[in-house]
Amino acid sequence: MADQYAKPHVLSRRSVATSRLFNIEEMELRFANGAERTFERLGGNVRGGGAVMIVAMPDPEHVLLIREYAAGLEEYTLTLPKGLVDPGEDVVAAANRELMEECGFGAHRLEPLVELTLAPNYMRHRMQVMLATDLYPKRLPGDEPEPLIVETHAIDEIGALLARDDFHEARAIAALFIARDKLRAESPASSSWW
């Protein structure tokens, strides 16, 4: 039984395409049952630092969302602030920097919520979701081609967000549910994190 779930043996691995942000890798694998297959996957970002997404809460009931152009869908979407971790930067510093660049706020308190993946059969990408509280005004210049619109929404109204045509990023949806459930589990008396 244990051999059935052993990881496949990597026979070879090669990069088949690289862009400014992505690396496409081809992998030749041999499974425990002897079957061999070729898989392609989208590697992590070329800079290799990972990515962060931030659930930023200006108060205990609200969350900040940004409206930005999503080139993959060719439309504007409403989502959580997010970005790549720069080389030499840890996830906490990256989350605070992205929050300052995209929302105009920093956070005195940042804590990890969850690590999320997207299409793990085809992508190596991992996103660290951080909860940001005790916000203060602070803007840093970002790399966005146009100013982002920042909106404040009630975290308990995720259903209303899901009914919108512009709010559909799976990672942002999961992050909001996880943050909301964490906040609900904490009693007002023990909300010393606020």
Side-chain angles (χ1 to χ4, degrees), residues 3-4 6-11 28-39:
D3 286 346
Q4 180 181 357
K7 286 185 180 180
H9 177 68
V10 178
L11 301 173
E28 299 288 337
L29 302 175
R30 180 179 300 126
F31 289 81
N33 64 3
E36 292 186 10
R37 295 290 187 277
T38 302
F39 284 80

Side-chain angles (χ1 to χ4, degrees), residues 44-193:
N45 71 69
V46 172
R47 297 188 304 186
V52 293
M53 177 175 273
I54 306 100
V55 179
M57 302 194 61
D59 61 59
E61 289 86 32
H62 294 91
V63 63
L64 300 179
L65 298 175
I66 58 168
R67 180 173 307 284
E68 67 179 345
Y69 186 72
L73 298 175
E74 298 183 40
E75 62 186 45
Y76 282 89
T77 62
L78 192 61
T79 188
L80 290 169
K82 61 189 170 300
L84 297 177
V85 177
D86 287 339
E89 191 176 44
D90 65 32
V91 294
V92 172
N96 215 18
R97 176 185 49 76
E98 288 292 340
L99 185 58
M100 291 175 193
E101 291 175 359
E102 296 189 359
C103 294
F105 287 96
H108 288 295
R109 184 171 173 135
L110 283 147
E111 63 180 291
L113 277 178
V114 68
E115 179 181 83
L116 298 174
T117 63
L118 184 64
N121 286 5
Y122 302 102
M123 296 175 68
R124 227 173 122 176
H125 184 77
R126 295 174 184 268
M127 171 91 50
Q128 304 298 321
V129 180
M130 305 293 287
L131 178 64
T133 56
D134 194 10
L135 304 185
Y136 58 92
K138 172 82 177 189
R139 176 149 315 268
L140 289 178
D143 58 1
E144 291 76 20
E146 61 186 0
L148 300 178
I149 296 170
V150 179
E151 298 182 11
T152 303
H153 292 268
I155 196 158
D156 281 333
E157 294 180 11
I158 299 172
L161 284 169
L162 290 172
R164 296 173 58 133
D165 290 338
D166 61 351
F167 183 75
H168 41 68
E169 183 181 1
R171 297 172 303 176
I173 294 166
L176 285 182
F177 274 109
I178 292 164
R180 185 198 65 187
D181 289 352
K182 174 185 174 38
L183 296 171
R184 283 182 176 176
E186 295 185 8
S187 71
S190 67
S191 293
S192 60
W193 63 270

Side-chain angles (χ1 to χ4, degrees), residues 5-22:
Y5 296 105
K7 286 185 180 180
H9 177 68
V10 178
L11 301 173
S12 67
R13 182 187 324 245
R14 71 183 184 97
S15 178
V16 294
T18 301
S19 77
R20 181 175 55 86
L21 295 176
F22 302 107

